[in-house]
């Protein structure tokens, strides 16, 4: 009997995108189940009773929560194709360091572009650009964060790319002007079908952020 793989997800989620990309890299077939985060399903609450958040990967009935943990799980279960984490312990620790940095910094700074205004927005954009420059430094002159091949940090970061347009629109800056190598990296990743078919259109993300901004009453 084959594996039963279900993904509880929400289309604009960069966390969900990580799992979509990882499963596509491994060519694992799965059932995508879009979740309503304002009216959470019984299944989501049962599968992620602690955080009650998407994404949740359900493999043969068992849930794996937290996107980076799920990507690592996918990498271990379907290990014969497209390895994502390096096998060398030191290299692996570095990949996890950067994925952790992305989680601790990028999400909050990016979110500030459409949830704040005035001085808070200005400070948020400064922090966001600083964070993107740190990541661009970590990439260096390599084609991918993982080196010659697409790997764990690439999976962890690439979902943010479709959010750049919204961040730029509300933050009044250009990622390409600030971090040209990072944009070249993102475009390189988008050439992979596993990535391009897993990310929504950036104009749709802008519309989503716009609605969010309006709900918060931010002009
Ligand atoms: C973050 C998941 C998350 O924030 C991960 O999987 O990596 N650290 C986790 N999920 C959000 C949607 S994406 O912004 C979510 O499910 N929010 C619902 C809620 O907070 O009620």
């Amino acid at each position: 009997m084959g594996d039963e793989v279900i993904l509880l997800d929400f289309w604009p989620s960069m966390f969900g995108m990580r799992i979509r990309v990882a499963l596509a890299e491994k060519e694992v077939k799965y059932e995508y189940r879009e979740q309503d985060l304002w009216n959470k399903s019984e299944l989501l609450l049962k599968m992620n009773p602690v955080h009650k958040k998407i994404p949740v990967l359900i493999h043969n009935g068992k849930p794996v929560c937290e996107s980076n943990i799920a990507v690592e799980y996918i990498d271990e279960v379907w290990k014969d194709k497209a390895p994502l984490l390096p096998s060398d312990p030191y290299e692996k620790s570095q990949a996890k360091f950067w994925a952790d940095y992305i989680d601790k910094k990028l999400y909050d700074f990016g979110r500030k572009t459409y949830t704040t205004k005035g001085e808070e927005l200005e400070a948020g954009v400064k922090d966001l650009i600083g964070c993107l420059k740190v990541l661009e430094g970590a990439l260096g002159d390599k084609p991918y964060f993982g080196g010659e091949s697409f790997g764990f940090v690439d999976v962890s970061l690439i979902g943010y790319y479709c959010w750049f347009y919204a961040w730029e629109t509300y933050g009044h800056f250009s990622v390409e002007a600030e971090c040209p190598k990072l944009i070249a990296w993102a475009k390189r990743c988008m050439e992979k079908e596993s990535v391009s078919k897993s990310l929504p259109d950036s104009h749709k993300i802008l519309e989503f952020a716009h609605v969010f901004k309006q709900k918060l009453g931010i002009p």
Side-chain angles (χ1 to χ4, degrees):
M1 212 180 75
D3 288 295
E4 186 199 51
V5 182
I6 299 169
L7 177 61
L8 307 185
D9 202 346
F10 177 51
W11 70 271
S13 170
M14 52 285 264
F15 305 110
M17 288 172 218
R18 290 174 175 165
I19 304 185
R20 285 176 233 163
V21 170
L23 290 171
E25 274 289 295
K26 302 283 183 178
E27 294 180 22
V28 174
K29 288 205 169 53
Y30 66 99
E31 185 191 331
Y32 180 96
R33 288 200 200 163
E34 181 76 2
Q35 300 297 298
D36 178 352
L37 297 183
W38 290 267
N39 181 20
K40 292 178 182 167
S41 69
E42 287 289 314
L43 184 64
L44 175 59
L45 298 175
K46 187 175 156 210
M47 291 292 155
N48 192 353
V50 175
H51 296 304
K52 304 174 177 65
K53 291 184 179 194
I54 60 88
V56 182
L57 175 80
I58 310 174
H59 184 205
N60 295 332
K62 291 188 291 190
V64 184
C65 301
E66 288 298 312
S67 57
N68 281 330
I69 294 175
V71 171
E72 187 174 354
Y73 175 82
I74 290 165
D75 198 33
E76 284 182 8
V77 172
W78 291 278
K79 55 176 173 292
D80 294 341
K81 187 170 278 171
L84 298 171
L85 271 160
S87 51
D88 175 78
Y90 185 74
E91 293 298 317
K92 191 187 283 182
S93 78
Q94 297 311 291
K96 287 187 179 181
F97 172 87
W98 287 114
D100 183 60
Y101 176 82
I102 292 162
D103 272 0
K104 288 196 174 121
K105 302 281 182 189
L106 200 56
Y107 180 74
D108 288 336
F109 292 153
R111 204 169 184 276
K112 283 196 175 164
T113 60
Y114 59 96
T115 57
T116 64
K117 56 184 178 186
E119 281 177 17
E120 206 184 343
L121 172 63
E122 262 177 54
V125 169
K126 223 173 135 203
D127 286 338
L128 177 58
I129 294 172
C131 180
L132 291 168
K133 283 188 189 285
V134 168
L135 287 165
E136 189 179 49
L139 174 68
D141 290 319
K142 303 190 295 289
Y144 298 104
F145 281 87
E148 288 306 309
S149 58
F150 183 80
F152 190 70
V153 183
D154 304 294
V155 173
S156 185
L157 185 59
I158 194 58
Y160 285 91
Y161 178 53
C162 57
W163 277 85
F164 283 5
Y165 181 50
W167 293 353
E168 292 172 324
T169 304
Y170 296 127
H172 308 290
F173 75 107
S174 153
V175 180
E176 184 146 36
E178 301 287 347
C179 303
K181 281 188 192 171
L182 198 64
I183 292 295
W185 159 83
K187 288 184 177 159
R188 196 172 301 124
C189 293
M190 287 296 274
E191 282 167 18
K192 295 173 78 68
E193 201 189 297
S194 60
V195 175
S196 61
K197 73 174 189 191
S198 302
L199 267 54
D201 185 84
S202 53
H203 292 86
K204 267 186 77 187
I205 294 284
L206 177 65
E207 275 169 36
F208 174 78
H210 182 72
V211 172
F212 203 90
K213 205 170 177 308
Q214 278 183 326
K215 273 190 193 158
L216 293 175
I218 293 173

